[in-house]
Short mmCIF file of all heavy atoms in Angstrom, two decimals:
data_model
loop_
_atom_site.label_atom_id
_atom_site.label_comp_id
_atom_site.label_asym_id
_atom_site.label_seq_id
_atom_site.Cartn_x
_atom_site.Cartn_y
_atom_site.Cartn_z
N ALA E 43 -12.97 -2.57 0.35
CA ALA E 43 -14.42 -2.80 0.45
C ALA E 43 -15.20 -1.50 0.43
O ALA E 43 -16.44 -1.52 0.13
CB ALA E 43 -14.76 -3.61 1.70
N LEU E 44 -14.60 -0.36 0.75
CA LEU E 44 -15.33 0.92 0.85
C LEU E 44 -15.10 1.79 -0.35
O LEU E 44 -14.05 1.73 -0.97
CB LEU E 44 -14.88 1.65 2.13
CG LEU E 44 -15.02 0.93 3.46
CD1 LEU E 44 -14.52 1.84 4.60
CD2 LEU E 44 -16.47 0.54 3.74
N THR E 45 -16.08 2.60 -0.67
CA THR E 45 -15.86 3.63 -1.66
C THR E 45 -14.85 4.66 -1.12
O THR E 45 -14.65 4.72 0.07
CB THR E 45 -17.19 4.39 -2.00
OG1 THR E 45 -17.59 5.14 -0.85
CG2 THR E 45 -18.25 3.40 -2.45
N PRO E 46 -14.20 5.40 -1.99
CA PRO E 46 -13.31 6.46 -1.48
C PRO E 46 -13.95 7.38 -0.45
O PRO E 46 -13.32 7.76 0.56
CB PRO E 46 -12.85 7.18 -2.71
CG PRO E 46 -12.94 6.15 -3.83
CD PRO E 46 -14.16 5.33 -3.49
N THR E 47 -15.19 7.77 -0.73
CA THR E 47 -15.92 8.67 0.24
C THR E 47 -16.12 7.97 1.56
O THR E 47 -15.89 8.58 2.60
CB THR E 47 -17.25 9.08 -0.40
OG1 THR E 47 -17.04 9.87 -1.53
CG2 THR E 47 -18.08 9.89 0.62
N GLU E 48 -16.54 6.70 1.52
CA GLU E 48 -16.77 5.96 2.76
C GLU E 48 -15.44 5.82 3.55
O GLU E 48 -15.42 5.85 4.77
CB GLU E 48 -17.35 4.59 2.46
CG GLU E 48 -18.80 4.68 1.94
CD GLU E 48 -19.31 3.35 1.38
OE1 GLU E 48 -18.45 2.47 1.05
OE2 GLU E 48 -20.50 3.19 1.26
N LEU E 49 -14.37 5.57 2.84
CA LEU E 49 -13.07 5.47 3.51
C LEU E 49 -12.68 6.75 4.20
O LEU E 49 -12.22 6.76 5.36
CB LEU E 49 -11.94 5.05 2.51
CG LEU E 49 -10.57 5.00 3.03
CD1 LEU E 49 -10.44 3.97 4.19
CD2 LEU E 49 -9.58 4.65 1.95
N VAL E 50 -12.83 7.90 3.54
CA VAL E 50 -12.51 9.19 4.12
C VAL E 50 -13.38 9.42 5.35
O VAL E 50 -12.90 9.90 6.42
CB VAL E 50 -12.66 10.31 3.09
CG1 VAL E 50 -12.48 11.68 3.80
CG2 VAL E 50 -11.64 10.15 1.99
N ASP E 51 -14.68 9.12 5.23
CA ASP E 51 -15.58 9.27 6.38
C ASP E 51 -15.11 8.42 7.56
O ASP E 51 -15.15 8.87 8.73
CB ASP E 51 -17.00 8.86 5.99
CG ASP E 51 -17.70 9.95 5.10
OD1 ASP E 51 -17.17 11.05 5.01
OD2 ASP E 51 -18.72 9.58 4.50
N LEU E 52 -14.68 7.20 7.32
CA LEU E 52 -14.26 6.32 8.37
C LEU E 52 -12.94 6.86 9.01
O LEU E 52 -12.76 6.86 10.23
CB LEU E 52 -13.97 4.91 7.84
CG LEU E 52 -13.46 3.88 8.85
CD1 LEU E 52 -14.36 3.75 10.05
CD2 LEU E 52 -13.22 2.54 8.20
N CYS E 53 -12.02 7.41 8.15
CA CYS E 53 -10.81 7.98 8.71
C CYS E 53 -11.16 9.19 9.58
O CYS E 53 -10.59 9.35 10.70
CB CYS E 53 -9.92 8.43 7.55
SG CYS E 53 -9.09 7.05 6.70
N HIS E 54 -12.08 10.01 9.15
CA HIS E 54 -12.49 11.16 9.92
C HIS E 54 -13.05 10.76 11.25
O HIS E 54 -12.72 11.29 12.33
CB HIS E 54 -13.48 12.01 9.15
CG HIS E 54 -13.95 13.24 9.84
ND1 HIS E 54 -15.14 13.29 10.54
CD2 HIS E 54 -13.38 14.45 10.04
CE1 HIS E 54 -15.29 14.48 11.05
NE2 HIS E 54 -14.23 15.18 10.78
N ALA E 55 -13.90 9.71 11.27
CA ALA E 55 -14.53 9.24 12.51
C ALA E 55 -13.48 8.63 13.45
O ALA E 55 -13.65 8.72 14.68
CB ALA E 55 -15.55 8.16 12.14
N ARG E 56 -12.41 8.15 12.88
CA ARG E 56 -11.34 7.56 13.75
C ARG E 56 -10.23 8.55 14.08
O ARG E 56 -9.25 8.13 14.71
CB ARG E 56 -10.74 6.33 13.01
CG ARG E 56 -11.72 5.13 12.92
CD ARG E 56 -11.06 3.92 12.29
NE ARG E 56 -9.89 3.54 13.03
CZ ARG E 56 -9.92 2.83 14.20
NH1 ARG E 56 -11.08 2.46 14.70
NH2 ARG E 56 -8.79 2.53 14.84
N GLY E 57 -10.40 9.80 13.75
CA GLY E 57 -9.42 10.79 14.12
C GLY E 57 -8.20 10.88 13.23
O GLY E 57 -7.24 11.58 13.56
N ILE E 58 -8.23 10.25 12.05
CA ILE E 58 -7.13 10.37 11.11
C ILE E 58 -7.23 11.80 10.49
O ILE E 58 -8.31 12.16 9.98
CB ILE E 58 -7.20 9.30 10.00
CG1 ILE E 58 -7.17 7.93 10.61
CG2 ILE E 58 -6.06 9.52 9.00
CD1 ILE E 58 -5.88 7.63 11.41
N ARG E 59 -6.14 12.55 10.46
CA ARG E 59 -6.18 13.88 9.85
C ARG E 59 -5.18 14.01 8.71
O ARG E 59 -5.26 14.98 7.94
CB ARG E 59 -5.86 14.92 10.95
CG ARG E 59 -6.97 15.10 11.96
CD ARG E 59 -8.23 15.64 11.32
NE ARG E 59 -9.38 15.70 12.17
CZ ARG E 59 -10.29 14.78 12.33
NH1 ARG E 59 -10.16 13.61 11.62
NH2 ARG E 59 -11.31 14.93 13.15
N HIS E 60 -4.29 13.10 8.53
CA HIS E 60 -3.37 13.06 7.40
C HIS E 60 -3.43 11.66 6.83
O HIS E 60 -3.09 10.69 7.51
CB HIS E 60 -1.97 13.41 7.81
CG HIS E 60 -1.81 14.73 8.46
ND1 HIS E 60 -2.06 14.98 9.76
CD2 HIS E 60 -1.35 15.96 7.92
CE1 HIS E 60 -1.82 16.23 10.02
NE2 HIS E 60 -1.38 16.83 8.93
N MET E 61 -3.81 11.52 5.56
CA MET E 61 -4.01 10.20 4.99
C MET E 61 -3.53 10.12 3.53
O MET E 61 -3.37 11.14 2.90
CB MET E 61 -5.47 9.75 5.10
CG MET E 61 -6.44 10.66 4.28
SD MET E 61 -8.17 10.11 4.33
CE MET E 61 -8.12 8.60 3.37
N ALA E 62 -3.33 8.90 3.06
CA ALA E 62 -3.07 8.69 1.65
C ALA E 62 -3.96 7.54 1.17
O ALA E 62 -4.07 6.54 1.86
CB ALA E 62 -1.61 8.31 1.43
N LEU E 63 -4.58 7.73 0.07
CA LEU E 63 -5.33 6.65 -0.59
C LEU E 63 -4.38 6.02 -1.59
O LEU E 63 -3.95 6.66 -2.55
CB LEU E 63 -6.57 7.18 -1.31
CG LEU E 63 -7.37 6.12 -2.11
CD1 LEU E 63 -7.84 4.99 -1.26
CD2 LEU E 63 -8.54 6.78 -2.83
N SER E 64 -3.98 4.76 -1.37
CA SER E 64 -2.98 4.10 -2.18
C SER E 64 -3.48 2.82 -2.80
O SER E 64 -2.99 1.76 -2.47
CB SER E 64 -1.73 3.81 -1.31
OG SER E 64 -2.07 2.98 -0.19
N ASP E 65 -4.45 2.95 -3.65
CA ASP E 65 -5.00 1.76 -4.32
C ASP E 65 -3.97 1.11 -5.25
O ASP E 65 -3.03 1.75 -5.72
CB ASP E 65 -6.26 2.09 -5.09
CG ASP E 65 -7.51 2.16 -4.16
OD1 ASP E 65 -7.66 1.21 -3.41
OD2 ASP E 65 -8.27 3.13 -4.21
N HIS E 66 -4.18 -0.17 -5.50
CA HIS E 66 -3.25 -0.93 -6.34
C HIS E 66 -3.32 -0.46 -7.79
O HIS E 66 -4.32 -0.55 -8.51
CB HIS E 66 -3.58 -2.41 -6.31
CG HIS E 66 -3.30 -3.06 -4.97
ND1 HIS E 66 -2.03 -3.35 -4.54
CD2 HIS E 66 -4.15 -3.40 -3.97
CE1 HIS E 66 -2.10 -3.90 -3.35
NE2 HIS E 66 -3.37 -3.96 -2.93
#
Side-chain angles (χ1 to χ4, degrees):
L44 303 180
T45 67
T47 295
E48 291 168 341
L49 175 61
V50 173
D51 286 345
L52 178 58
C53 287
H54 181 259
R56 292 184 56 79
I58 302 299
R59 289 298 175 266
H60 299 81
M61 63 178 290
L63 176 58
S64 56
D65 277 312
H66 291 284

